[in-house]
Amino acid sequence: LATSGALGWHMTASIGGADMPVVITVLNSYSGWALCAEGFMLDMPIMTTVGALIGCSGAALTKIMCDAMNRDILSVILGGYGTKSSGKGEAMKFEGEVTQTNVDEVCNLLMESQSVIIVPGYGLAVSKGQYPLKDMVDHLKNAGKKVRFGIHPVAGRMPGQLNVLLAEAGVPYDIVEELEEINDDFDETDVCLVIGANDTVNSAAEDDPNSEIAGMPVLRVWNSKQVIVMKRSLAAGYAGVDNPVFLKDNTDMLLGDAKDTCEKLAAGVKALSGK
């Protein structure tokens, strides 16, 4: 018991914020293997089988998340900081001013554009804004706009969380693309709408070798002609790293609850499209 307690305390106390989702999947896998061992001891094949399924699925999920974040599982468990490609110096400090926009301006911008990529994150999941977002997408598509979704492998807190939410709202599968499929298309995109995402669109991962998220694959939203970031506040993301994308000249912030803002955007786009 003492050893188990010490291991559990160490795994949760020494791990950085961005690694916590990985630790959750590791602990989930551990619970499966513990159940499997209990099944062997009690001679209960069903318990053994269920435990093995939980353990294997947790291990597979952990591997997917580590690859998506460019992390090493041993570094995560031992409480290491940064990614495989992190430097040892001090992280860059980005300077600039944040520019804010409003719903009316964003609605006009969306209607004037031809191609739009929407990058959802944990903020969308928390606010349950996928349904009004789906309505807005429908109005944009009816107006002849090319609309797609860009999903990071660990968007939200678990792989596939945003895919499930969008599917739940009825978003067609053919307009939902993964990071590898869509990352090169931002250069040809008029507007990128980032909803509740932060670390997964942080350019410091590529620009600053000393950043704690250096080397982590990110969606290059800043290459779009115009970026609109929807967040509750200007606070840092789950990893606690400032996002220089917020300070770029082609980025405007639209602050507020994601669901409420999506509802206003859907109504505004509908009114402008007349459909």
Side-chain angles (χ1 to χ4, degrees):
L1 289 177
T3 303
S4 299
L7 177 62
W9 176 84
H10 172 73
M11 286 190 62
T12 54
S14 63
I15 293 170
D19 287 335
M20 284 308 298
V22 180
V23 175
I24 293 173
T25 61
V26 172
L27 294 176
N28 182 57
S29 180
Y30 282 178
S31 69
W33 298 124
L35 185 64
C36 184
E38 184 178 356
F40 273 117
M41 294 178 64
L42 300 177
D43 193 21
M44 297 179 64
I46 294 180
M47 182 179 292
T48 302
T49 303
V50 172
L53 288 173
I54 295 174
C56 289
S57 62
L61 195 57
T62 300
K63 177 65 165 59
I64 293 172
M65 295 186 71
C66 284
D67 290 345
M69 298 174 68
N70 194 28
R71 296 288 278 126
D72 186 290
I73 183 60
L74 290 178
S75 297
V76 173
I77 294 176
L78 296 176
Y81 293 97
T83 55
K84 296 177 186 175
S85 58
S86 292
K88 298 182 179 179
E90 184 178 352
M92 295 173 59
K93 294 183 178 180
F94 301 93
E95 298 181 354
E97 294 184 0
V98 171
T99 57
Q100 297 189 32
T101 185
N102 56 56
V103 171
D104 292 336
E105 291 180 354
V106 174
C107 288
N108 289 326
L109 182 65
L110 290 171
M111 291 304 298
E112 292 171 359
S113 65
Q114 293 301 316
S115 59
V116 178
I117 294 180
I118 301 173
V119 178
Y122 186 64
L124 179 69
V126 170
S127 69
K128 300 179 181 179
Q130 63 268 31
Y131 295 101
L133 177 60
K134 168 62 164 55
D135 292 338
M136 184 192 73
V137 170
D138 288 341
H139 295 315
L140 288 173
K141 293 181 67 177
N142 291 337
K145 313 300 180 183
K146 181 181 180 181
V147 184
R148 292 178 293 167
F149 286 84
I151 307 296
H152 192 278
V154 292
R157 287 295 182 266
M158 297 290 173
Q161 180 181 10
L162 269 301
N163 301 72
V164 172
L165 290 178
L166 295 177
E168 182 182 85
V171 174
Y173 291 108
D174 59 346
I175 66 171
V176 179
E177 301 184 17
E178 301 298 328
L179 180 147
E180 296 83 2
E181 301 171 322
I182 205 169
N183 228 6
D184 293 333
D185 295 346
F186 285 106
D187 292 333
E188 302 173 355
T189 301
D190 295 323
V191 178
C192 178
L193 193 61
V194 180
I195 307 178
N198 197 330
D199 297 327
T200 56
V201 297
N202 194 328
S203 61
E206 295 189 354
D207 298 338
D208 183 6
N210 296 314
S211 173
E212 289 192 15
I213 61 172
M216 185 179 95
V218 292
L219 289 155
R220 302 187 186 99
V221 300
W222 58 90
N223 289 334
S224 303
K225 295 178 182 177
Q226 183 65 45
V227 182
I228 304 296
V229 179
M230 294 169 52
K231 280 174 54 66
R232 281 183 175 272
S233 68
L234 299 176
Y238 201 63
V241 179
D242 291 333
N243 194 337
V245 173
F246 299 167
L247 306 176
K248 292 184 179 293
D249 294 335
N250 64 332
T251 300
D252 290 328
M253 306 293 297
L254 182 59
L255 303 181
D257 178 76
K259 182 178 180 180
D260 293 340
T261 305
C262 285
E263 289 175 347
K264 294 176 182 177
L265 288 176
V269 170
K270 180 180 180 181
L272 291 174
S273 65
K275 299 180 180 181

